[in-house]
């Protein structure tokens, strides 16, 4: 017997396009007619609109979220002979960006219930440097799944040691701590506009945000060969530009981001309600934060069987992520982990399961997921 078709996919960027098709098509036509395709007025307008929406001094567009992280590290002077602390329970991009600038990643464990950097593990590696590991010159907390990391103790530990922080906000556009959005608390923040993110392009894109105008100007130069004036490189830079088509599309989508995040939270509340009275536990919310549910992640010891039962009901799921970075073939046996290892990370990788989550899910689709969860 063949499996039924997936009628509720886990992610659906095409639905995101169709929901805003009229505005996006007009924006695309405007750019095609303009004759200017890279770093032009659409990018400048999007940067200004994004900075206003986020509440930062400068926003600088670039090619993708991985480049944004690497540009942030470069702008902070991080390179060979230095190490950067982040987590292993993240998109491989976070770790890849550290190696892109020639620095050594040092991966610490997560808080098991929130899946984000354990501030105690971070303080341990800052307070008692590991033998043979170069000095720590930056820390990258990841606001994973749309929920802020424990920034207060992370910032306190980094301030004690004078180490700058780059917030990886690729999964957390609009997430808040108190009444402020993540991406406004530290030296630099980075965003990805990969199509499935809360703010997704129809291609690749990324953004850096900072409260420091000088740092913003350095980043803007670094993304294009180190140019401050055309054709003259003041610093050695790279080519990581945002194109006008993606910027114009993102301007349309940014106008809908807050209402779309509200819809994600509504879907999360419906899933929470469906789980009460089952053996499954809704994702933990940190006190005082706004979780924007890039992903709605369950934790199940027998993940394969729940995944199969949902699949039989036509419901797609995802695993974010099936292998911690320090155990992946390209990294294992050479990546440095914290002194107490990554036990919480390794357990999470075996148990996490992501349910369908995007604002275009219909009420009927959400109900079907809820019913399938109750039956499974
Ligand atoms: C998506 C993602 C990135 C990388 O973004 P790209 O645009 O795909 O390069 C970095 N960090 C995290 C946590 C992500 O989810």
């Amino acid at each position: 017997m063949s499996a039924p078709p997936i009628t509720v996919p886990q992610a659906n960027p095409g639905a995101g396009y169709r929901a805003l098709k009229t505005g996006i098509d007009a924006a695309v036509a405007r750019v095609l007619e303009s004759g200017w395709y890279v770093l032009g007025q659409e990018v400048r307008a999007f940067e200004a609109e994004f900075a206003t929406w986020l509440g930062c001094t400068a926003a600088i567009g670039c090619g993708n979220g991985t480049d944004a992280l690497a540009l942030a590290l470069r702008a902070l002077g991080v390179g060979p002979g230095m190490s950067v602390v982040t987590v292993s329970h993240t998109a491989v991009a976070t770790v890849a960006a550290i190696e892109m600038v020639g620095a050594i990643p040092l991966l610490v464990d997560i808080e098991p219930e929130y899946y984000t950097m354990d501030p105690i593990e971070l303080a341990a590696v800052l307070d008692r440097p590991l033998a043979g590991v170069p000095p720590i010159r930056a820390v990258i907390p990841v606001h994973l799944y749309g929920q802020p990391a424990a920034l207060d103790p992370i910032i306190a530990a980094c301030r004690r040691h004078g180490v700058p922080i780059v917030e990886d906000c690729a999964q957390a556009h609009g997430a808040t701590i108190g009444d402020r959005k993540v991406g406004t608390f530290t030296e630099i923040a980075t965003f990805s506009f990969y199509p499935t993110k809360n703010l997704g392009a129809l291609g690749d894109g990324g953004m850096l945000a900072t409260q420091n105008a000088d740092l913003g100007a350095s980043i803007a130069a670094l993304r294009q060969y180190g140019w401050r004036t055309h054709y003259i490189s003041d610093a050695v830079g790279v080519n990581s530009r945002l194109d006008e088509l993606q910027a114009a599309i993102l301007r349309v989508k940014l106008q809908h981001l807050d209402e779309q995040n509200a819809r994600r939270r509504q879907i999360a509340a419906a899933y929470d309600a469906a789980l009460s009275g089952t053996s499954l536990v809704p994702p933990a919310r940190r006190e005082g934060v706004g979780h924007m549910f890039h992903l709605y992640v369950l934790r199940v010891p027998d993940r394969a069987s729940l995944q199969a039962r949902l699949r039989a009901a036509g419901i797609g799921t995802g695993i974010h992520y099936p292998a911690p970075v320090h155990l992946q073939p390209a990294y294992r046996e050479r990546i440095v982990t914290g002194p107490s290892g990554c036990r919480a990370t390794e357990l999470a990788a075996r148990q996490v399961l992501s349910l369908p989550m995007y604002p275009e899910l219909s009420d009927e689709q959400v109900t079907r997921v809820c019913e399938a969860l109750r039956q499974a």
Side-chain angles (χ1 to χ4, degrees):
M1 204 181 83
S2 65
I6 296 235
T7 48
V8 190
Q10 194 275 318
N12 192 349
Y17 164 61
R18 286 186 292 277
L20 302 174
K21 180 174 163 46
T22 310
I24 290 174
D25 288 356
V28 167
R30 180 174 78 231
V31 173
L32 294 179
E33 288 296 336
S34 77
W36 191 287
Y37 303 116
V38 168
L39 290 190
Q41 62 184 30
E42 298 287 347
V43 170
R44 282 191 296 275
F46 176 53
E47 288 172 339
E49 289 157 12
F50 190 87
T52 301
W53 170 82
L54 183 65
C56 66
T57 304
I60 306 98
C62 69
N64 56 68
T66 312
D67 281 358
L69 285 162
L71 284 165
L73 294 173
R74 270 176 185 269
L76 294 169
V78 176
M82 307 175 193
S83 65
V84 176
V85 182
T86 190
V87 287
S88 190
H89 189 67
T90 182
V92 76
T94 316
V95 179
I98 296 168
E99 293 199 330
M100 277 168 70
V101 302
I104 307 282
L106 197 178
L107 307 185
V108 296
D109 212 357
I110 52 171
E111 298 178 283
E113 67 277 47
Y114 302 119
Y115 305 106
T116 52
M117 179 178 284
D118 184 339
I120 294 167
E121 295 291 307
L122 170 66
V125 296
L126 285 168
D127 292 341
R128 289 180 295 284
L130 300 176
V133 176
I136 295 165
R137 291 293 184 244
V139 171
I140 309 181
V142 181
H143 303 305
L144 202 74
Y145 303 152
Q147 170 142 263
L151 273 192
D152 276 354
I154 291 172
I155 291 172
C158 289
R159 291 286 174 271
R160 276 203 309 278
H161 292 271
V163 173
I165 301 171
V166 177
E167 291 172 70
D168 183 344
C169 302
Q171 301 192 3
H173 315 70
T176 52
I177 300 177
D179 56 9
R180 259 166 75 189
K181 293 193 176 83
V182 297
T184 61
F185 291 91
T186 68
E187 280 75 4
I188 306 182
T190 65
F191 293 82
S192 163
F193 305 123
Y194 184 74
T196 59
K197 310 285 181 175
N198 289 36
L199 180 58
L202 304 181
D204 276 314
M207 185 76 89
L208 297 97
T210 176
Q211 307 294 359
N212 178 331
D214 292 338
L215 207 47
S218 307
I219 294 163
L222 286 173
R223 78 173 157 184
Q224 182 166 237
Y225 316 123
W227 290 352
R228 280 176 198 257
T229 39
H230 243 61
Y231 309 122
I232 305 296
S233 297
D234 285 324
V236 175
V238 299
N239 172 7
S240 182
R241 295 177 293 221
L242 184 59
D243 74 66
E244 290 281 282
L245 277 174
Q246 298 309 331
I249 292 165
L250 287 161
R251 290 180 70 193
V252 176
K253 295 186 91 178
L254 179 61
Q255 289 174 23
H256 299 271
L257 178 56
D258 291 336
E259 83 202 28
Q260 292 186 338
N261 276 342
R263 172 68 179 156
R264 286 175 183 269
R265 286 158 62 83
Q266 193 180 47
I267 295 166
Y271 289 166
D272 284 352
L275 294 176
S276 77
T278 74
S279 62
L280 297 167
V281 185
R285 269 71 142 192
R286 219 183 263 290
E287 199 57 41
V289 309
H291 189 325
M292 290 304 144
F293 287 96
H294 171 57
L295 293 167
Y296 186 99
V297 176
L298 292 177
R299 185 147 195 154
V300 251
D302 191 3
R303 175 170 66 194
S305 92
L306 178 60
Q307 193 168 29
R309 275 173 290 167
L310 292 173
R311 177 68 190 79
I315 294 162
T317 53
I319 297 176
H320 303 90
Y321 296 90
V325 177
H326 71 281
L327 298 180
Q328 298 188 15
Y331 296 92
R332 69 174 172 237
E333 256 128 64
R334 66 178 186 84
I335 214 85
V336 188
T337 55
S340 39
C342 287
R343 264 202 316 219
T345 295
E346 289 171 22
L347 187 61
R350 287 196 290 273
Q351 298 188 333
V352 290
L353 186 68
S354 308
L355 298 183
M357 178 52 84
Y358 39 96
E360 298 78 22
L361 280 172
S362 67
D363 289 344
E364 189 263 321
Q365 286 176 308
V366 173
T367 303
R368 285 189 35 219
V369 176
C370 289
E371 277 165 7
L373 283 172
R374 272 191 228 104
Q375 279 157 21

